[in-house]
Amino acid sequence: MNLNLLDRNNNLSILIAGIISVIIGLGVARFAFTSLLPPMLEGFLTVTFAGLLAAVNFAGYLSGSIFSMFIKDINQKVLLFRMGIVLCILTTFILGVTENETIWFISRIIAGFGAAMAFVVGSAIVMTKLNFENKTKAMGIHFSGIGFSILTTDLVSRAVLSSGYDWKSSWLVLSAFAILASIYAMYILCFDKKVKTQVVKHKFDFSLFTPFVILIIIAYFTEGVGFVVQATFLPDIINTLEGLEGYGNLTWTLVGLAGIPSCIIWMNLASRKGSVNIIIIALFVQMIGILIPTFTTNIYMNLLSGVLYGGTFVGLVGLFMNLSGKLAGSNPVILMGAVTTSYGLGQVIAPLYSVYFIEKYGSYDYSLYLTAFIVFLGIILLFFAKTIMTDEQKRL
């Protein structure tokens, strides 16, 4: 194995750089917000404004994801990836130097767009550069970066806070950390010379959207909803439970730890038992995790809720995207765009209804009940999808 980590064409270097780009794009620009939510709520943030910031952040991410689907030229992707990394760093720095709500609102939208460039476009570059015959397992390692992104940014934030500094200092330290880490990621994730790419234009193929595919797309919407409430509020959900004040961040740390191996585990299961069967199981496990804080204040059960959440949401992204790619065959862009849009709409909507219920009832319970119910509807849809699957689709 080539151990020269400064070799741009070394698979290990590419995977490390890919994981670093996920840590910056999703960790620093997105998940660190969840980690720092409790101290920010004690400062100037309200739960309502936090929910709105989450919604616009996901809207920015959704727009970036859709935009990236239509960029075919790999050389342009390198430029967009670098731009995304810079946007992630700048919008993080802004959170540490101002409490102006309008500036925060704009910065979270831009951070979402930058995160999509860093993660979606970065992942495309990683997949192009990797020199493996079968890249599926390698991409499973790459997507473990989502768990690392939660864990790393949470540990950095907690280290700053435990040293006696405030949440503003945490944002500044995260910015500095991202600057240092980005140097390696941007150095490795580019090409030694301009790559000649043959752009294949596909017509919009309506025949792709069979009843089975439409059910998959709607089911992914329910997972977008299932992902986002805990992704936004989990530390505060745990901290508001009687006797569990202060345990929110430990739960969030466990989310990151559980997320690291989850994609590899679920993808391996899907290759043996079929994607739809494994997606149903993963959604059911996630639904249980969502409901745990609503019926018990037991510390171990609530820590388990974090493990179940982290252990499913990363894997479900991999499962749905992998299945969509296989269903699309030689025309992945349209179908990938459709499932990404569906998932993104769920991410934008969920924080908004959560804010409504929290304001009305002064509790997270009702937003968690509705979220679990929507995930349950996704499970029902997939059971129905199984009844109309072809033999070929059963093997995917």
Side-chain angles (χ1 to χ4, degrees):
M1 181 185 277
N2 181 1
L3 292 176
N4 179 6
L5 296 182
L6 293 178
D7 179 358
R8 286 190 174 122
N9 301 308
N10 176 6
N11 284 326
L12 184 58
S13 304
I14 295 162
L15 286 170
I16 292 170
I19 289 172
I20 289 171
S21 67
V22 178
I23 290 170
I24 296 169
L26 295 188
V28 174
R30 171 64 198 97
F31 289 124
F33 193 92
T34 306
S35 182
L36 288 167
L37 186 61
M40 289 194 300
L41 288 172
E42 290 172 12
F44 90 108
L45 265 193
T46 62
V47 170
T48 302
F49 190 50
L52 291 174
L53 289 172
V56 297
N57 182 256
F58 284 120
Y61 182 84
L62 172 61
S63 65
S65 297
I66 295 168
F67 171 72
S68 68
M69 296 284 175
F70 298 95
I71 307 300
K72 304 293 187 301
D73 183 72
I74 194 68
N75 305 293
Q76 280 185 326
K77 284 184 177 179
V78 171
L79 291 174
L80 287 168
F81 165 71
R82 290 176 169 179
M83 181 192 80
I85 292 284
V86 171
L87 289 177
C88 289
I89 293 168
L90 287 176
T91 53
T92 302
F93 178 77
I94 284 169
L95 302 184
V97 295
T98 180
E99 291 185 15
N100 182 295
E101 292 192 355
T102 306
I103 293 174
W104 272 54
F105 200 81
I106 295 166
S107 78
R108 293 313 285 164
I109 297 172
I110 296 170
F113 184 86
M117 295 300 103
F119 178 59
V120 180
V121 177
S123 298
I125 296 168
V126 168
M127 192 155 189
T128 303
K129 282 182 69 81
L130 282 172
N131 186 26
F132 287 114
E133 210 166 295
N134 182 359
K135 297 182 182 181
T136 304
K137 285 184 179 175
M139 289 308 287
I141 295 168
H142 172 70
F143 288 126
S144 72
I146 301 173
F148 278 114
S149 76
I150 294 172
L151 182 64
T152 306
T153 53
D154 181 54
L155 292 176
V156 171
S157 303
R158 288 173 69 176
V160 175
L161 294 171
S162 63
S163 300
Y165 295 96
D166 62 1
W167 56 265
K168 288 183 180 179
S169 302
S170 295
W171 285 122
L172 296 176
V173 171
L174 283 164
S175 304
F177 165 78
I179 289 169
L180 291 173
S182 69
I183 295 166
Y184 185 76
M186 288 200 274
Y187 171 74
I188 296 294
L189 296 183
C190 65
F191 297 90
D192 295 324
K193 55 181 185 282
K194 195 163 179 166
V195 181
K196 288 184 180 176
T197 50
Q198 187 180 359
V199 177
V200 181
K201 291 192 175 177
H202 292 288
K203 290 182 179 175
F204 193 97
D205 186 1
F206 283 101
S207 67
L208 277 176
F209 294 89
T210 61
F212 173 72
V213 167
I214 290 168
L215 289 173
I216 295 296
I217 292 169
I218 299 170
Y220 200 34
F221 166 83
T222 71
E223 168 50 19
V225 171
F227 157 73
V228 83
V229 176
Q230 286 171 299
T232 306
F233 300 112
L234 186 61
D236 197 51
I237 291 170
I238 303 300
N239 285 342
T240 54
L241 295 174
E242 192 179 340
L244 299 189
E245 301 85 359
Y247 281 102
N249 273 93
L250 176 58
T251 312
W252 187 244
T253 304
L254 291 175
V255 170
L257 282 169
I260 291 168
S262 71
C263 197
I264 298 165
I265 293 167
W266 289 112
M267 296 283 274
N268 279 337
L269 288 170
S271 68
R272 296 205 301 267
K273 303 294 182 184
S275 294
V276 174
N277 294 326
I278 297 304
I279 289 171
I280 288 170
I281 294 168
L283 284 173
F284 183 76
V285 172
Q286 187 177 80
M287 184 182 76
I288 300 300
I290 291 166
L291 288 172
I292 284 173
T294 68
F295 65 78
T296 180
T297 56
N298 179 281
I299 177 61
Y300 300 109
M301 289 295 289
N302 279 283
L303 290 175
L304 176 65
S305 76
V307 173
L308 297 183
Y309 170 64
T312 52
F313 89 85
V314 182
L316 280 161
V317 171
L319 289 167
F320 271 104
M321 294 304 279
N322 189 51
L323 176 59
S324 302
K326 288 179 176 176
L327 288 168
S330 62
N331 188 6
V333 172
I334 302 300
L335 195 47
M336 291 284 196
V339 294
T340 301
T341 303
S342 176
Y343 186 69
L345 288 172
Q347 289 180 319
V348 173
I349 291 166
L352 300 177
Y353 74 64
S354 297
V355 163
Y356 169 77
F357 284 126
I358 293 159
E359 279 200 333
K360 184 164 183 176
Y361 298 105
S363 161
Y364 286 101
D365 285 1
Y366 290 94
S367 61
L368 292 172
Y369 291 145
L370 180 55
T371 303
F373 177 69
I374 291 170
V375 172
F376 179 69
L377 290 179
I379 295 169
I380 299 298
L381 284 172
L382 289 172
F383 271 115
F384 184 64
K386 280 180 58 129
T387 66
I388 57 172
M389 285 172 79
T390 64
D391 288 338
E392 186 183 344
Q393 287 165 345
K394 286 174 186 174
R395 289 192 290 271
L396 295 179

